[in-house]
């Protein structure tokens, strides 16, 4: 049997592992290019970039705010523009970031089915589990881009409109601008990790339907519902198990020394949701009749 025939039937070959890895990387690159060539993707990133910009402009025009009013770190912005990115993140994590993740992850499989391209993607050697991995990694790449967009544009807007100098941390310690920028990158990393569990949920929901908007809406609703449950004291027993429970605890990265407990706990929660919903997506997708 010739090599092309081996690939078509999925039979093993001497260099099957290399072909499998090369095919996966090629598929991932193609999917990544497809995502970032879409005007919708750039529109969502542009909307996220507007959050810190509008926040900075509003404070510049209207002046500062009283301590304790508004989102965390808002009252610090007029003293140091580096806080724009952090304050914008507190605004974006509860709603805006989950919405963009819901669109990206919810469309991953359902979008292909609705456009009639899913069967083409599943032609050997692109198996179903590998396609799920690629789709998840592409959606995770968008999560990384989304979190970085808020921090980067927040830093630029803060630098342009407000004084920038040594950063006074939550613990009262003052650090250099360079270390302050590294702390902001850590905050972005925290937000990226926070979104990975939701990304897996969106991927799973995307395997349940051929209507992308349904998967998108369900993902967004679950993110909001989890936060509502997390705000009800009577349901405190459930809070540690919610994927949203640690979303806003990145302030621990702005202490001296850094307290990593929240980061680790958040990563463990997200990892559990990734495993649970990715396995559920595999079970659902491998048993699904793909007709489009």
């Amino acid at each position: 049997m010739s090599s092309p025939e081996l690939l078509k039937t999925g039979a093993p070959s001497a260099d099957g592992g290399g072909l499998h890895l090369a095919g996966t990387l090629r598929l991932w690159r193609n999917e990544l290019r497809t995502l970032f060539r879409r005007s919708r993707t750039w529109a969502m990133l542009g909307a996220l970039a507007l959050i810190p910009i509008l926040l900075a402009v509003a404070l510049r025009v209207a002046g500062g705010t009283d301590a304790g009013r508004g989102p965390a770190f808002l009252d610090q912005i007029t003293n140091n523009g580096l806080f724009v990115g952090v304050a914008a993140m507190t605004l974006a994590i509860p709603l805006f970031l989950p919405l963009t993740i819901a669109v990206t992850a919810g469309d991953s499989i359902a979008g292909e089915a609705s456009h009639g391209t899913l069967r083409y993607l599943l032609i050997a050697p692109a198996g179903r589990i590998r396609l799920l991995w690629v789709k998840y990694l592409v959606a995770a790449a968008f999560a990384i881009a989304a979190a970085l967009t808020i921090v980067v544009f927040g830093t630029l807007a803060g630098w342009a409109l407000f004084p920038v100098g040594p950063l006074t941390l939550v613990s009262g310690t003052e650090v250099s601008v360079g270390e302050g920028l590294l702390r902001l990158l850590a905050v972005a990393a925290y937000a990226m990790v926070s979104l990975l569990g939701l990304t897996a949920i969106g991927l799973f929901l995307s395997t349940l339907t051929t209507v992308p908007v349904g998967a998108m809406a369900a993902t967004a609703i679950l993110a909001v519902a989890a936060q509502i449950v997390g705000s009800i004291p009577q349901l405190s027993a459930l809070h540690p198990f919610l994927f949203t429970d640690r979303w806003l605890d990145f302030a621990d990265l702005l202490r001296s020394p850094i307290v990593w407990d929240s980061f680790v706990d958040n990563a463990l929660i997200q990892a559990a949701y990734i495993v649970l919903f990715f396995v559920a997506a595999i079970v659902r997708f491998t048993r699904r009749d793909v007709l489009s």
Side-chain angles (χ1 to χ4, degrees), residues 232-255:
I232 301 175
Q234 290 80 0
L235 300 177
S236 59
L238 298 177
H239 294 178
F241 303 100
L242 299 173
F243 62 92
T244 58
D245 185 52
R246 295 282 185 170
W247 273 10
L248 293 173
D249 289 349
F250 53 80
D252 285 344
L253 301 176
L254 300 177
R255 301 182 187 276

Side-chain angles (χ1 to χ4, degrees), residues 139-174:
F142 175 82
I144 293 172
L148 283 174
T149 294
I150 292 174
V151 169
V152 168
F153 278 88
T155 302
L156 293 175
W159 212 301
L161 297 176
F162 300 101
V164 170
L167 192 69
T168 302
L169 303 177
V170 174
S171 55
T173 306
E174 191 175 87

Side-chain angles (χ1 to χ4, degrees), residues 15 25 54 154 158 242 272 279:
D15 59 349
L25 290 175
L54 292 176
L242 299 173
V279 170

Side-chain angles (χ1 to χ4, degrees), residues 115-161:
H115 289 101
T117 55
L118 187 54
R119 291 183 66 185
Y120 171 77
L121 286 174
L122 292 176
I123 295 175
R128 297 191 181 203
I129 295 177
R130 178 161 56 155
L131 179 62
L132 285 175
W133 267 119
V134 168
K135 288 291 189 179
Y136 178 79
L137 292 176
V138 169
F142 175 82
I144 293 172
L148 283 174
T149 294
I150 292 174
V151 169
V152 168
F153 278 88
T155 302
L156 293 175
W159 212 301
L161 297 176

